[in-house]
Amino acid sequence: MKTIAFLYNVRHHYPEANDYKNQLQGDFDDPITIRWQIKHLKNLGFNVIPIEANEEAYLKLYRLKKKINLVFNIAEGLHGKDRELQIPAMLEMLQIPYTGSSPLTHAFSLNKEKAKEVFIANGIPTPIYQVFQTYKDSLSGNLKFPLIVKPIAEGSSMGITNKSVVYDEDSLRRQVKKIITTFNEPAIVELFLEGREFSVSMLGNPPQILPIIESDHKMLPKKYQSIDSLEVKWYFEDKNLDYLICPAKIDIKLQKKLEKISYKIWQALEVLDWGRIDIRCDRKDNPFVLEINSPPGFAPPEASLSSYFPLAGRAAGLDYEKVMLGIIQSAAKRYGLKI
Ligand SMILES: Nc1ncnc2c1ncn2[C@@H]1O[C@H](COP(=O)(O)OP(=O)(O)OP(=O)(O)O)[C@@H](O)[C@H]1O
Ligand SMILES: [Mg+2]
C-alpha cells in the first residue's frame, strides 16, 4: 500500500464580510473538509498521513521522509507574502515527490501583480491595474471608474466584498487603506469589468480542460455587487447551486478564446497537475484573466457542493475521488512513481 502525506492548513475562524481580520484564514480549509479529504484518500486505497502545514511540518516531513511515497498538497502556507510556496520548497529540499506546481509557480500565482506581469509579457489579456503601496498614492490617469480594490496576494475572496467595487476617489482611498492595514500588503486596483465571468479548471500534464464554469451574476439579489465576493462565495453559492453554471453556455468562438488563454497561462507559469484560472469579460465578451489558483480550492461534496474544481470534475463525469486520483497520477507520472 502506498503512503500519501496530506498537507493542509486548517481554518479556525469562518470568514465574515464585516470583520476583515476574520478573513485572514479564508483560504484555509474547514476541519470537516479536511476530514473528508482524508477519507477520500483512504477510499482510494492509500495509507494517509495528515500533516498540518504549520511550523512543525518540516520536522514531521523530515522524520517521515522514508515512509512517504507522495505528498498531496493543498497547503496555502502559514506566514508571509509568499506563503503558498513554503511547503513545495520544503518538499523540494527533502526530495519528496508532491502534487501540484513548484515553488516558483506558487509564488507567482499568489501574487496578483507578478502574475499579471507574466500575463502581459506573454500577450495574455488582463485588466489594466495599479498597485497602491499607500492609500495616498496618486491614481493613474488611464484607470477610469468603476474600479475594484483587492489585496495583492490573497485568495478565496479575502478582502473582496461589496465595498470593493468603487465609483469615486474617496471610496477608492478608503478601501485601499482598509486592505493595506488589514492584510499588511499592497492593494491592487483594477478596471472593473462588467461582463460574463468564467472559471477554467485544468487537470493533468499536458492539461485537460474540464467543463468551464460561469457565475450567473444576474441571479444575485440587489444587495450584492455583481462579483464573486466573500459574501457571495461564503453565503450565497452553497445555498443557490444553480448560480454556478457548468458547463457554461458559450459559443464555440468564446470557448476557444478561453481555452487558448488558459493553455497559454499554464505554459507561461509552468503549472503542474492542476490549476484553475478565473477570467472575466468586458461588455463585448472580450476575455481578460483575473488570476490563476494553484492549488485551487478543493472541498469535497460532503463539505460543499459549490467548490469549483470538483464541480467542474463532476460535470466531466469525474467524481471527487476520480479527480483526486487524476491529480495524484499526474504527479506520480512526472516522478516516474508507480502508484
Ligand atoms: N477586474 C475585475 N473586474 C470585475 N470583477 C472582478 C475583477 N477582479 C475581481 N473581480 C471579481 O472579484 C472576484 C474575486 O476576485 P479574484 O478572483 O481576483 O480573487 P481571489 O480572492 O483570488 O479569488 P479566489 O476565491 O478564486 O481565490 C472575481 O471572481 C470577480 O467576480
Ligand atoms: Mg478568483
Side-chain angles (χ1 to χ4, degrees):
M1 190 189 264
K2 299 288 181 197
T3 295
I4 289 201
F6 176 58
L7 270 285
Y8 62 90
N9 287 103
V10 66
R11 174 189 306 131
H12 300 285
H13 303 282
Y14 204 78
E16 279 173 38
N18 294 325
D19 179 355
Y20 280 71
K21 283 282 175 206
N22 213 343
Q23 294 171 28
L24 290 174
Q25 299 183 341
D27 58 357
F28 291 5
D29 284 294
D30 281 325
I32 178 181
T33 294
I34 289 155
R35 275 202 303 278
W36 277 102
Q37 284 167 325
I38 294 168
K39 172 118 176 46
H40 286 297
L41 281 170
K42 286 184 179 166
N43 289 348
L44 286 168
F46 296 112
N47 176 36
V48 183
I49 306 177
I51 300 178
E52 183 170 353
N54 58 20
E55 289 170 25
E56 289 165 22
Y58 183 85
L59 296 175
K60 290 184 186 161
L61 287 166
Y62 178 75
R63 271 206 311 270
L64 294 165
K65 177 181 153 129
K66 289 205 173 62
K67 280 199 187 147
I68 299 170
N69 297 104
L70 181 85
V71 162
F72 191 90
N73 178 39
I74 59 155
E76 303 285 346
L78 205 53
H79 305 299
K81 66 182 177 53
D82 306 324
R83 61 202 157 85
E84 263 182 6
L85 67 76
Q86 290 166 350
I87 292 297
M90 289 177 195
L91 296 168
E92 293 280 345
M93 190 177 182
L94 292 165
Q95 292 186 291
I96 302 174
Y98 60 97
T99 59
S101 303
S102 74
L104 182 69
T105 305
H106 280 112
F108 274 88
S109 64
L110 183 62
N111 186 306
K112 291 190 161 72
E113 178 190 22
K114 292 296 159 205
K116 281 164 86 76
E117 286 173 5
V118 175
F119 301 154
I120 292 163
N122 284 276
I124 300 161
T126 186
I128 58 168
Y129 70 103
Q130 181 183 343
V131 172
F132 279 71
Q133 302 293 342
T134 78
Y135 73 97
K136 290 182 180 155
D137 292 2
S138 55
L139 176 63
S140 136
N142 50 13
L143 280 174
K144 305 275 181 250
F145 290 100
L147 301 171
I148 181 165
V149 182
K150 314 194 265 190
I152 202 164
E154 303 296 333
S156 305
S157 288
M158 280 189 270
I160 304 181
T161 68
N162 271 332
K163 297 191 181 117
S164 305
V165 183
V166 292
Y167 297 87
D168 57 57
E169 204 157 326
D170 275 356
S171 43
L172 167 77
R173 295 198 184 283
R174 220 175 308 127
Q175 196 59 18
V176 165
K177 190 174 180 187
K178 182 110 210 157
I179 292 301
I180 293 176
T181 50
T182 305
F183 295 97
N184 198 18
E185 64 190 51
I188 187 160
V189 174
E190 281 181 350
L191 200 67
F192 181 64
L193 300 173
E194 303 185 22
R196 300 173 73 181
E197 176 164 359
F198 303 100
S199 201
V200 184
S201 302
M202 303 173 85
L203 173 64
N205 307 307
Q208 167 199 0
I209 292 190
L210 299 176
I212 295 174
I213 297 173
E214 175 166 15
S215 315
D216 186 6
H217 296 304
K218 291 191 297 297
M219 245 186 91
L220 292 173
K222 282 231 155 42
K223 64 175 177 178
Y224 293 129
Q225 277 287 357
S226 63
I227 55 172
D228 289 337
S229 57
L230 188 113
E231 294 92 333
V232 170
K233 271 191 199 141
W234 294 88
Y235 297 99
F236 184 82
E237 282 182 357
D238 237 11
K239 295 190 193 77
N240 298 276
L241 293 176
D242 44 350
Y243 174 67
L244 299 175
I245 304 168
C246 188
K249 297 183 185 71
I250 39 178
D251 60 38
I252 191 76
K253 208 169 128 207
L254 182 54
Q255 170 146 356
K256 291 270 168 264
K257 275 190 199 168
L258 298 177
E259 288 180 358
K260 193 170 163 197
I261 288 177
S262 303
Y263 283 125
K264 264 193 172 178
I265 293 177
W266 185 277
Q267 252 186 347
L269 284 174
E270 298 177 11
V271 182
L272 295 171
D273 304 332
W274 63 320
R276 209 196 77 228
I277 293 163
D278 291 340
I279 301 178
R280 188 144 188 186
C281 298
D282 63 13
R283 284 170 184 259
K284 293 184 182 147
D285 270 2
N286 297 307
F288 294 83
V289 176
L290 301 181
E291 58 143 0
I292 162 137
N293 298 282
S294 166
F298 193 55
E302 294 83 358
S304 164
L305 284 170
S306 62
S307 186
Y308 288 38
F309 203 91
L311 179 78
R314 286 197 295 280
L318 304 170
D319 66 17
Y320 191 79
E321 286 175 13
K322 285 213 180 92
V323 176
M324 212 170 205
L325 191 61
I327 299 164
I328 292 168
Q329 283 174 335
S330 151
K333 197 167 149 208
R334 271 189 300 116
Y335 290 101
L337 289 174
K338 285 223 161 23
I339 284 280

